[in-house]
mmCIF file of all heavy atoms in Angstrom:
data_model
loop_
_atom_site.group_PDB
_atom_site.id
_atom_site.type_symbol
_atom_site.label_atom_id
_atom_site.label_comp_id
_atom_site.label_asym_id
_atom_site.label_seq_id
_atom_site.Cartn_x
_atom_site.Cartn_y
_atom_site.Cartn_z
ATOM 1 N N ALA A 17 134.578 136.623 28.590
ATOM 2 C CA ALA A 17 134.907 135.411 27.835
ATOM 3 C C ALA A 17 136.377 135.043 28.012
ATOM 4 O O ALA A 17 136.726 133.864 28.162
ATOM 5 C CB ALA A 17 134.582 135.619 26.353
ATOM 6 N N ASN A 18 137.256 136.053 28.020
ATOM 7 C CA ASN A 18 138.686 135.787 28.235
ATOM 8 C C ASN A 18 138.943 135.186 29.611
ATOM 9 O O ASN A 18 139.703 134.229 29.763
ATOM 10 C CB ASN A 18 139.486 137.088 28.078
ATOM 11 C CG ASN A 18 139.860 137.347 26.621
ATOM 12 O OD1 ASN A 18 140.170 136.415 25.891
ATOM 13 N ND2 ASN A 18 139.817 138.609 26.221
ATOM 14 N N ARG A 19 138.289 135.769 30.642
ATOM 15 C CA ARG A 19 138.510 135.266 32.001
ATOM 16 C C ARG A 19 137.974 133.851 32.163
ATOM 17 O O ARG A 19 138.588 133.014 32.825
ATOM 18 C CB ARG A 19 137.842 136.211 33.012
ATOM 19 C CG ARG A 19 138.641 137.483 33.247
ATOM 20 C CD ARG A 19 138.169 138.204 34.496
ATOM 21 N NE ARG A 19 136.850 138.799 34.296
ATOM 22 C CZ ARG A 19 136.660 140.026 33.811
ATOM 23 N NH1 ARG A 19 137.680 140.769 33.449
ATOM 24 N NH2 ARG A 19 135.446 140.509 33.677
ATOM 25 N N LEU A 20 136.818 133.571 31.567
ATOM 26 C CA LEU A 20 136.287 132.213 31.625
ATOM 27 C C LEU A 20 137.204 131.232 30.916
ATOM 28 O O LEU A 20 137.410 130.100 31.373
ATOM 29 C CB LEU A 20 134.879 132.173 30.994
ATOM 30 C CG LEU A 20 133.740 132.789 31.794
ATOM 31 C CD1 LEU A 20 132.463 132.816 30.969
ATOM 32 C CD2 LEU A 20 133.505 132.016 33.087
ATOM 33 N N ASN A 21 137.782 131.674 29.817
ATOM 34 C CA ASN A 21 138.661 130.799 29.040
ATOM 35 C C ASN A 21 139.938 130.475 29.790
ATOM 36 O O ASN A 21 140.503 129.390 29.650
ATOM 37 C CB ASN A 21 138.989 131.462 27.703
ATOM 38 C CG ASN A 21 139.095 130.453 26.576
ATOM 39 O OD1 ASN A 21 138.583 129.345 26.676
ATOM 40 N ND2 ASN A 21 139.768 130.839 25.506
ATOM 41 N N THR A 22 140.425 131.431 30.595
ATOM 42 C CA THR A 22 141.693 131.224 31.300
ATOM 43 C C THR A 22 141.529 130.628 32.688
ATOM 44 O O THR A 22 142.482 130.048 33.224
ATOM 45 C CB THR A 22 142.438 132.563 31.431
ATOM 46 O OG1 THR A 22 141.589 133.519 32.088
ATOM 47 C CG2 THR A 22 142.831 133.100 30.072
ATOM 48 N N SER A 23 140.342 130.725 33.295
ATOM 49 C CA SER A 23 140.167 130.222 34.656
ATOM 50 C C SER A 23 139.221 129.025 34.738
ATOM 51 O O SER A 23 139.560 127.984 35.337
ATOM 52 C CB SER A 23 139.653 131.337 35.573
ATOM 53 O OG SER A 23 138.409 131.825 35.097
ATOM 54 N N LEU A 24 138.044 129.157 34.109
ATOM 55 C CA LEU A 24 137.046 128.098 34.238
ATOM 56 C C LEU A 24 137.392 126.877 33.401
ATOM 57 O O LEU A 24 137.210 125.737 33.841
ATOM 58 C CB LEU A 24 135.668 128.640 33.836
ATOM 59 C CG LEU A 24 134.482 127.678 33.980
ATOM 60 C CD1 LEU A 24 134.301 127.271 35.437
ATOM 61 C CD2 LEU A 24 133.201 128.308 33.445
ATOM 62 N N VAL A 25 137.900 127.097 32.186
ATOM 63 C CA VAL A 25 138.176 125.976 31.281
ATOM 64 C C VAL A 25 139.224 125.019 31.861
ATOM 65 O O VAL A 25 139.011 123.800 31.852
ATOM 66 C CB VAL A 25 138.591 126.503 29.885
ATOM 67 C CG1 VAL A 25 139.077 125.356 29.007
ATOM 68 C CG2 VAL A 25 137.418 127.217 29.225
ATOM 69 N N PRO A 26 140.376 125.518 32.398
ATOM 70 C CA PRO A 26 141.334 124.577 33.012
ATOM 71 C C PRO A 26 140.756 123.830 34.211
ATOM 72 O O PRO A 26 141.065 122.657 34.437
ATOM 73 C CB PRO A 26 142.495 125.488 33.430
ATOM 74 C CG PRO A 26 142.379 126.680 32.549
ATOM 75 C CD PRO A 26 140.914 126.875 32.342
ATOM 76 N N TRP A 27 139.895 124.493 34.987
ATOM 77 C CA TRP A 27 139.312 123.836 36.157
ATOM 78 C C TRP A 27 138.377 122.708 35.731
ATOM 79 O O TRP A 27 138.372 121.629 36.318
ATOM 80 C CB TRP A 27 138.565 124.874 36.989
ATOM 81 C CG TRP A 27 137.937 124.302 38.232
ATOM 82 C CD1 TRP A 27 138.567 123.931 39.372
ATOM 83 C CD2 TRP A 27 136.536 124.030 38.427
ATOM 84 N NE1 TRP A 27 137.665 123.443 40.292
ATOM 85 C CE2 TRP A 27 136.412 123.492 39.745
ATOM 86 C CE3 TRP A 27 135.408 124.190 37.641
ATOM 87 C CZ2 TRP A 27 135.174 123.115 40.261
ATOM 88 C CZ3 TRP A 27 134.186 123.820 38.174
ATOM 89 C CH2 TRP A 27 134.075 123.283 39.455
ATOM 90 N N LEU A 28 137.571 122.962 34.686
ATOM 91 C CA LEU A 28 136.669 121.927 34.187
ATOM 92 C C LEU A 28 137.443 120.769 33.563
ATOM 93 O O LEU A 28 136.992 119.619 33.605
ATOM 94 C CB LEU A 28 135.696 122.523 33.155
ATOM 95 C CG LEU A 28 134.633 123.483 33.687
ATOM 96 C CD1 LEU A 28 133.837 124.092 32.528
ATOM 97 C CD2 LEU A 28 133.686 122.771 34.650
ATOM 98 N N ALA A 29 138.611 121.085 32.971
ATOM 99 C CA ALA A 29 139.412 120.029 32.340
ATOM 100 C C ALA A 29 139.878 118.990 33.357
ATOM 101 O O ALA A 29 140.084 117.814 33.015
ATOM 102 C CB ALA A 29 140.604 120.644 31.624
ATOM 103 N N LYS A 30 140.038 119.396 34.630
ATOM 104 C CA LYS A 30 140.431 118.439 35.671
ATOM 105 C C LYS A 30 139.384 117.353 35.872
ATOM 106 O O LYS A 30 139.701 116.252 36.322
ATOM 107 C CB LYS A 30 140.661 119.176 36.996
ATOM 108 C CG LYS A 30 141.795 120.179 36.958
ATOM 109 C CD LYS A 30 141.926 120.893 38.295
ATOM 110 C CE LYS A 30 143.031 121.933 38.257
ATOM 111 N NZ LYS A 30 143.147 122.660 39.555
ATOM 112 N N PHE A 31 138.148 117.665 35.552
ATOM 113 C CA PHE A 31 137.050 116.700 35.706
ATOM 114 C C PHE A 31 136.695 116.026 34.380
ATOM 115 O O PHE A 31 135.656 115.372 34.274
ATOM 116 C CB PHE A 31 135.814 117.402 36.273
ATOM 117 C CG PHE A 31 136.036 118.049 37.612
ATOM 118 C CD1 PHE A 31 136.389 119.399 37.698
ATOM 119 C CD2 PHE A 31 135.938 117.316 38.786
ATOM 120 C CE1 PHE A 31 136.602 119.999 38.927
ATOM 121 C CE2 PHE A 31 136.152 117.921 40.021
ATOM 122 C CZ PHE A 31 136.491 119.252 40.092
ATOM 123 N N GLY A 32 137.540 116.184 33.392
ATOM 124 C CA GLY A 32 137.303 115.543 32.109
ATOM 125 C C GLY A 32 136.332 116.278 31.212
ATOM 126 O O GLY A 32 135.875 115.733 30.200
ATOM 127 N N ILE A 33 135.998 117.537 31.564
ATOM 128 C CA ILE A 33 135.085 118.340 30.747
ATOM 129 C C ILE A 33 135.926 119.310 29.931
ATOM 130 O O ILE A 33 136.472 120.286 30.456
ATOM 131 C CB ILE A 33 134.074 119.099 31.619
ATOM 132 C CG1 ILE A 33 133.299 118.119 32.512
ATOM 133 C CG2 ILE A 33 133.109 119.906 30.757
ATOM 134 C CD1 ILE A 33 132.393 118.802 33.502
ATOM 135 N N ASN A 34 136.059 119.037 28.659
ATOM 136 C CA ASN A 34 136.903 119.842 27.789
ATOM 137 C C ASN A 34 136.047 120.748 26.908
ATOM 138 O O ASN A 34 135.342 120.279 26.013
ATOM 139 C CB ASN A 34 137.773 118.939 26.910
ATOM 140 C CG ASN A 34 138.729 118.093 27.742
ATOM 141 O OD1 ASN A 34 139.418 118.601 28.624
ATOM 142 N ND2 ASN A 34 138.765 116.791 27.472
ATOM 143 N N ILE A 35 136.076 122.030 27.209
ATOM 144 C CA ILE A 35 135.380 123.023 26.391
ATOM 145 C C ILE A 35 136.341 124.169 26.113
ATOM 146 O O ILE A 35 137.356 124.335 26.805
ATOM 147 C CB ILE A 35 134.113 123.566 27.081
ATOM 148 C CG1 ILE A 35 134.480 124.271 28.406
ATOM 149 C CG2 ILE A 35 133.095 122.476 27.324
ATOM 150 C CD1 ILE A 35 133.329 125.011 29.020
ATOM 151 N N SER A 36 136.033 124.930 25.103
ATOM 152 C CA SER A 36 136.861 126.082 24.765
ATOM 153 C C SER A 36 135.987 127.178 24.191
ATOM 154 O O SER A 36 135.164 126.927 23.298
ATOM 155 C CB SER A 36 137.934 125.685 23.753
ATOM 156 O OG SER A 36 138.726 126.813 23.409
ATOM 157 N N LEU A 37 136.148 128.367 24.736
ATOM 158 C CA LEU A 37 135.377 129.507 24.246
ATOM 159 C C LEU A 37 136.136 130.202 23.124
ATOM 160 O O LEU A 37 137.330 130.490 23.256
ATOM 161 C CB LEU A 37 135.117 130.504 25.388
ATOM 162 C CG LEU A 37 134.150 130.063 26.484
ATOM 163 C CD1 LEU A 37 134.111 131.109 27.588
ATOM 164 C CD2 LEU A 37 132.771 129.841 25.923
ATOM 165 N N ASP A 38 135.471 130.438 22.039
ATOM 166 C CA ASP A 38 136.057 131.166 20.914
ATOM 167 C C ASP A 38 135.881 132.657 21.160
ATOM 168 O O ASP A 38 134.833 133.230 20.870
ATOM 169 C CB ASP A 38 135.384 130.742 19.611
ATOM 170 C CG ASP A 38 136.108 131.299 18.396
ATOM 171 O OD1 ASP A 38 136.970 132.186 18.577
ATOM 172 O OD2 ASP A 38 135.804 130.838 17.277
ATOM 173 N N VAL A 39 136.920 133.288 21.727
ATOM 174 C CA VAL A 39 136.830 134.693 22.105
ATOM 175 C C VAL A 39 136.616 135.577 20.888
ATOM 176 O O VAL A 39 135.880 136.568 20.937
ATOM 177 C CB VAL A 39 138.094 135.124 22.876
ATOM 178 C CG1 VAL A 39 138.009 136.601 23.272
ATOM 179 C CG2 VAL A 39 138.269 134.259 24.124
ATOM 180 N N ASP A 40 137.228 135.225 19.768
ATOM 181 C CA ASP A 40 137.050 136.023 18.553
ATOM 182 C C ASP A 40 135.592 136.022 18.095
ATOM 183 O O ASP A 40 135.070 137.041 17.641
ATOM 184 C CB ASP A 40 137.953 135.492 17.439
ATOM 185 C CG ASP A 40 139.431 135.716 17.748
ATOM 186 O OD1 ASP A 40 139.740 136.690 18.466
ATOM 187 O OD2 ASP A 40 140.268 134.912 17.282
ATOM 188 N N SER A 41 134.927 134.850 18.234
ATOM 189 C CA SER A 41 133.512 134.780 17.856
ATOM 190 C C SER A 41 132.664 135.640 18.778
ATOM 191 O O SER A 41 131.694 136.274 18.342
ATOM 192 C CB SER A 41 133.029 133.325 17.904
ATOM 193 O OG SER A 41 133.709 132.539 16.957
ATOM 194 N N VAL A 42 133.013 135.639 20.073
ATOM 195 C CA VAL A 42 132.283 136.480 21.027
ATOM 196 C C VAL A 42 132.425 137.954 20.653
ATOM 197 O O VAL A 42 131.458 138.715 20.666
ATOM 198 C CB VAL A 42 132.788 136.228 22.466
ATOM 199 C CG1 VAL A 42 132.154 137.222 23.433
ATOM 200 C CG2 VAL A 42 132.475 134.806 22.901
ATOM 201 N N LYS A 43 133.644 138.357 20.308
ATOM 202 C CA LYS A 43 133.864 139.748 19.932
ATOM 203 C C LYS A 43 133.092 140.115 18.670
ATOM 204 O O LYS A 43 132.509 141.206 18.582
ATOM 205 C CB LYS A 43 135.360 140.000 19.739
ATOM 206 C CG LYS A 43 136.159 139.977 21.034
ATOM 207 C CD LYS A 43 137.631 140.236 20.774
ATOM 208 C CE LYS A 43 138.430 140.217 22.086
ATOM 209 N NZ LYS A 43 139.873 140.428 21.867
ATOM 210 N N SER A 44 133.077 139.211 17.702
ATOM 211 C CA SER A 44 132.335 139.490 16.472
ATOM 212 C C SER A 44 130.836 139.575 16.747
ATOM 213 O O SER A 44 130.117 140.380 16.143
ATOM 214 C CB SER A 44 132.620 138.415 15.427
ATOM 215 O OG SER A 44 132.157 137.152 15.860
ATOM 216 N N PHE A 45 130.344 138.737 17.692
ATOM 217 C CA PHE A 45 128.934 138.802 18.076
ATOM 218 C C PHE A 45 128.604 140.164 18.687
ATOM 219 O O PHE A 45 127.582 140.776 18.378
ATOM 220 C CB PHE A 45 128.619 137.682 19.074
ATOM 221 C CG PHE A 45 127.289 137.829 19.758
ATOM 222 C CD1 PHE A 45 126.118 137.428 19.140
ATOM 223 C CD2 PHE A 45 127.207 138.385 21.036
ATOM 224 C CE1 PHE A 45 124.895 137.568 19.765
ATOM 225 C CE2 PHE A 45 125.984 138.533 21.665
ATOM 226 C CZ PHE A 45 124.830 138.114 21.032
ATOM 227 N N VAL A 46 129.500 140.635 19.558
ATOM 228 C CA VAL A 46 129.281 141.933 20.201
ATOM 229 C C VAL A 46 129.241 143.043 19.164
ATOM 230 O O VAL A 46 128.376 143.930 19.186
ATOM 231 C CB VAL A 46 130.381 142.201 21.250
ATOM 232 C CG1 VAL A 46 130.295 143.630 21.763
ATOM 233 C CG2 VAL A 46 130.255 141.221 22.406
ATOM 234 N N VAL A 47 130.191 143.004 18.229
ATOM 235 C CA VAL A 47 130.259 144.040 17.209
ATOM 236 C C VAL A 47 129.020 144.010 16.318
ATOM 237 O O VAL A 47 128.450 145.049 15.963
ATOM 238 C CB VAL A 47 131.540 143.877 16.357
ATOM 239 C CG1 VAL A 47 131.503 144.825 15.164
ATOM 240 C CG2 VAL A 47 132.765 144.139 17.207
ATOM 241 N N LYS A 48 128.577 142.793 15.978
ATOM 242 C CA LYS A 48 127.479 142.659 15.026
ATOM 243 C C LYS A 48 126.136 143.010 15.631
ATOM 244 O O LYS A 48 125.315 143.684 15.003
ATOM 245 C CB LYS A 48 127.437 141.234 14.482
ATOM 246 C CG LYS A 48 126.369 141.008 13.415
ATOM 247 C CD LYS A 48 126.444 139.596 12.861
ATOM 248 C CE LYS A 48 125.379 139.373 11.790
ATOM 249 N NZ LYS A 48 125.415 138.002 11.238
ATOM 250 N N TYR A 49 125.863 142.539 16.875
ATOM 251 C CA TYR A 49 124.517 142.669 17.440
ATOM 252 C C TYR A 49 124.402 143.759 18.504
ATOM 253 O O TYR A 49 123.426 144.503 18.512
ATOM 254 C CB TYR A 49 124.067 141.324 18.034
ATOM 255 C CG TYR A 49 123.854 140.270 16.981
ATOM 256 C CD1 TYR A 49 124.806 139.290 16.743
ATOM 257 C CD2 TYR A 49 122.700 140.255 16.211
ATOM 258 C CE1 TYR A 49 124.614 138.315 15.764
ATOM 259 C CE2 TYR A 49 122.486 139.303 15.226
ATOM 260 C CZ TYR A 49 123.460 138.329 15.015
ATOM 261 O OH TYR A 49 123.269 137.378 14.047
ATOM 262 N N LEU A 50 125.359 143.833 19.407
ATOM 263 C CA LEU A 50 125.215 144.782 20.511
ATOM 264 C C LEU A 50 125.713 146.170 20.157
ATOM 265 O O LEU A 50 125.433 147.130 20.877
ATOM 266 C CB LEU A 50 125.955 144.268 21.756
ATOM 267 C CG LEU A 50 125.435 142.939 22.307
ATOM 268 C CD1 LEU A 50 126.209 142.557 23.559
ATOM 269 C CD2 LEU A 50 123.952 143.003 22.601
#
């Protein structure tokens, strides 16, 4: 999730696609379910 947030998100922003991954939510999901 961190790597996607730092590499994929800026690349998509060049095409007008603005998304952001909530890394803290991903970590909480891992702790809670996995």
Side-chain angles (χ1 to χ4, degrees):
N18 274 323
R19 283 195 289 271
L20 287 173
N21 216 20
T22 56
S23 60
L24 183 62
V25 172
W27 181 75
L28 290 174
K30 297 178 182 179
F31 301 94
I33 304 174
N34 297 312
I35 61 171
S36 179
L37 290 175
D38 189 348
V39 180
D40 293 331
S41 296
V42 173
K43 290 180 180 178
S44 64
F45 168 82
V46 171
V47 171
K48 183 176 180 181
Y49 292 101
L50 298 182

